[in-house]
Amino acid sequence: MSAPWPVLGEGIVPFLLVFGLMLTGNGYVVLRLFPRSGRPATLADATVLIGILLMGMGLWLALIYAVLDPGDASEVSVFIALNSMMAVVGCWAIALFLRAESRSMTGPRWRWPAVFALLLVGNEILMGAAFVLAESGPAAYTTAGWTGLVSLLGDSLTSVWFYWAMLANMVLFLLQLPLDRPSRTALGTLAATGAVGPWLVIAPLEAGVAMALIMSWALVATLTEWRSRPLSQDHVRALEVVWFAFALMSVGEGAFLLEPAPAWKGLWLGLATVVAMGGELLYLLGWGLDLRGRPFPSARLASPRKTSSPPILGN
């Protein structure tokens, strides 16, 4: 299994630079989806953001190919992936021509949140796989056949690159969305588990205690809020997401400890983490976009007041 943090030194600089670029792109997605002005996202926004996220996934796949099979073909694939941004710009221009900027993202409530959640989580998974392969070398996985593939997936999902990238995504959403304080606190405790998650692999006891402390803090905050005032509907839904995720992560930790096969240990823990943190991301996207028609709070506050004056008719 890979260590939760790579060896510190000059070699980590390229990883940190790429990691920073990834977080910058994710931040742009969040700001474009949920601007402070309260302007609802349009189909033109969706075209740009989906294109950027798909381009990112293509780049990670090309980098994985380059690590597994260095050569001219893999270098060309990376170059093509980097230049795919031109295709995104072209699709955006076509969308503008079709007046997509005047059409909001409508449809079933969870369609758009599911699309963006899958693309964001997919990018983080592929980034983790690319970084783990680059750090450990492909031979450690390719020579083991299917067992090596399982180990690679497990190491990718339990690496610091995946956990901390998901943590950064949650923090961006929690800072940008106008959630009420109790909901933000509850969801923030779930996001905080991503800070200690990578160490579950090498120090399960210490990391498990840290997880238990975070969950206890969330429980105390919930009980305090419940005794002081009635829980809002949004707060109740946030608590449902948080405690379901906590339960799922506890099951994943138990499976990690009980699984006798080393190759499968990280996979069970990683899959539980993906579902738990991906579920929180899906909830935040669904709450923010809220395709059922509830106005975005900042947009509601910025809307002009209605007056009772009769309209002025022209001649």
Side-chain angles (χ1 to χ4, degrees):
M1 291 184 179
S2 64
W5 187 261
V7 179
L8 299 179
E10 295 181 357
I12 199 177
V13 174
F15 294 97
L16 293 178
L17 289 176
V18 177
F19 186 73
L21 290 174
M22 181 74 172
L23 296 186
T24 301
N26 291 347
Y28 176 77
V29 171
V30 175
L31 293 175
R32 189 73 180 260
L33 277 176
F34 310 110
R36 287 292 184 181
S37 63
R39 175 187 62 82
T42 65
L43 288 179
D45 296 321
T47 302
V48 172
L49 300 180
I50 291 175
I52 290 175
L53 293 172
L54 287 174
M55 181 197 71
M57 293 182 71
L59 179 59
W60 292 123
L61 288 172
L63 290 174
I64 291 173
Y65 176 37
V67 174
L68 292 174
D69 187 19
D72 294 338
S74 59
E75 291 178 2
V76 170
S77 68
V78 173
F79 179 78
I80 293 175
L82 287 171
N83 283 272
S84 62
M85 188 62 193
M86 298 304 297
V88 176
V89 175
C91 292
W92 176 69
I94 295 173
L96 291 180
F97 179 76
L98 297 175
R99 301 187 62 82
E101 79 283 359
S102 62
R103 302 177 183 177
S104 61
M105 293 190 294
T106 57
R109 172 173 167 76
W110 291 107
R111 181 171 66 186
W112 289 109
V115 168
F116 284 108
L118 286 173
L119 291 177
L120 285 169
V121 174
N123 270 276
E124 315 305 2
I125 293 174
L126 292 176
M127 178 178 67
F131 282 8
V132 166
L133 281 172
E135 293 165 9
S136 304
Y141 300 101
T142 56
T143 57
W146 286 107
T147 303
L149 179 61
V150 172
S151 297
L152 173 61
L153 183 57
D155 289 349
S156 303
L157 297 178
T158 56
S159 70
V160 70
W161 305 113
F162 175 77
Y163 268 107
W164 284 14
M166 291 299 295
L167 171 62
N169 287 334
M170 302 308 171
V171 171
L172 285 170
F173 277 97
L174 292 174
L175 291 176
Q176 187 67 11
L177 292 175
L179 296 160
D180 58 84
R181 182 187 57 80
S183 298
R184 182 177 282 110
T185 300
L187 293 166
T189 56
L190 176 56
T193 58
V196 297
W199 281 272
L200 284 168
V201 175
I202 60 171
L205 178 59
E206 294 82 353
V209 170
M211 288 279 193
L213 291 175
I214 293 173
M215 294 179 188
S216 299
W217 178 30
L219 179 60
V220 171
T222 299
L223 294 176
T224 302
E225 189 68 26
W226 174 69
R227 294 186 63 181
S228 62
R229 63 177 64 86
L231 302 183
S232 66
Q233 186 178 22
D234 284 338
H235 189 196
V236 171
R237 288 178 178 172
L239 290 175
E240 290 174 352
V241 172
V242 168
W243 287 108
F244 174 78
F246 279 156
L248 191 61
M249 293 177 71
S250 298
V251 172
E253 293 175 33
F256 171 80
L257 294 173
L258 297 175
E259 174 60 56
W264 289 88
K265 281 181 171 289
L267 180 63
W268 301 132
L269 177 61
L271 290 178
T273 302
V274 167
V275 177
M277 302 192 76
E280 180 181 10
L281 183 63
L282 179 62
Y283 172 80
L284 289 169
L285 282 162
W287 189 92
L289 293 174
D290 203 348
L291 300 181
R292 290 177 303 175
R294 182 179 62 184
F296 202 60
S298 56
R300 182 174 68 248
L301 294 175
S303 60
R305 296 181 179 178
K306 296 181 180 180
T307 63
S308 58
S309 301
I312 300 175
L313 302 177
N315 293 330

